[in-house]
Amino acid sequence: MATALGLGVATACGRAARPATAPDPRVPTQVLPAARLYLLEMTGIPPDDSMVTFPVGQPRVIILRHGEPDNTVFAEVSFPDSVFGAAGSGDSVTVVLRPRPGVYGMDIAMTQLPRRGATIKFKYPVHFNAPRDALDRYGSTSRFEQALAVGMLADGTNYALLPSQRPASDNLESALPGPGTYMVSAPR
């Protein structure tokens, strides 16, 4: 409302209105305590921890897969070429990914803080398991799935739900603001 009002005033005064800037995808849509979230549960063999070191200035996609026998993709963490490399930060970065057992979530550590552009994408076509209480609350698996968002542990007890999108069926993607704990969840 305020933006529309501001654009109307600028136009009425004879000035060209500035195009609206896209919202920052790293800014949470809401912050909720862990007790007010349903976590997306995972079945099957969990992925192993992964540590990757790569040169700054080069794009990198790290793919975590469930264990054998199916090896389906669990998550992709993407870093464009411009996301690392602040002055004096070194010529390489190390990223450590530690999936959390039994849920679609992971702890991420980095030797450098990323700039805007890094993303995390969870994939759950096979090992998706909605908690029983979530099915009671949402009424169906598909409604629960539509309520999911990637959450980042904000302060030890609360999760910041990040703007999330579905680039494909059974995929959930959000910005990756930096190191931390990330979980796929829906409000209770």
Side-chain angles (χ1 to χ4, degrees):
M1 180 71 174
T3 303
L5 181 60
L7 291 174
V9 171
T11 304
C13 295
R15 296 183 195 179
R18 288 187 196 175
T21 58
D24 188 337
R26 299 169 297 175
V27 175
T29 57
Q30 60 183 321
V31 177
L32 295 171
R36 294 210 31 229
L37 294 171
Y38 295 114
L39 301 180
L40 178 59
E41 296 174 359
M42 180 195 68
T43 63
I45 307 297
D48 289 328
D49 294 355
S50 182
M51 182 173 76
V52 179
T53 301
F54 56 95
V56 297
Q58 292 186 3
R60 181 63 54 133
V61 177
I62 304 169
I63 298 175
L64 292 181
R65 295 182 177 277
H66 288 274
E68 293 194 18
D70 63 8
N71 292 316
T72 57
V73 175
F74 170 79
E76 291 180 11
V77 181
S78 300
F79 301 101
D81 59 357
S82 61
V83 85
F84 293 112
S89 61
D91 58 354
S92 67
V93 61
T94 299
V95 177
V96 179
L97 306 173
R98 290 186 183 93
R100 296 199 145 223
V103 294
Y104 276 90
M106 73 173 88
D107 298 318
I108 301 176
M110 303 173 201
T111 56
Q112 293 187 37
L113 293 177
R115 292 188 289 263
R116 189 173 178 165
T119 60
I120 184 169
K121 183 187 311 176
F122 288 95
K123 297 186 172 197
Y124 45 85
V126 177
H127 301 288
F128 174 106
N129 191 31
R132 169 53 81 195
D133 291 349
L135 292 177
D136 292 343
R137 155 82 164 78
Y138 285 98
S140 71
T141 302
S142 61
R143 285 188 181 154
F144 172 64
E145 195 270 338
Q146 290 301 309
L148 293 173
V150 176
M152 178 183 180
L153 188 60
D155 61 9
T157 58
N158 295 306
Y159 279 86
L161 299 183
L162 300 170
S164 302
Q165 56 188 343
R166 290 170 179 76
S169 178
D170 301 323
N171 284 232
L172 190 65
E173 180 178 39
S174 78
L176 180 68
T181 298
Y182 292 84
M183 306 291 277
V184 176
S185 58
R188 284 187 180 259

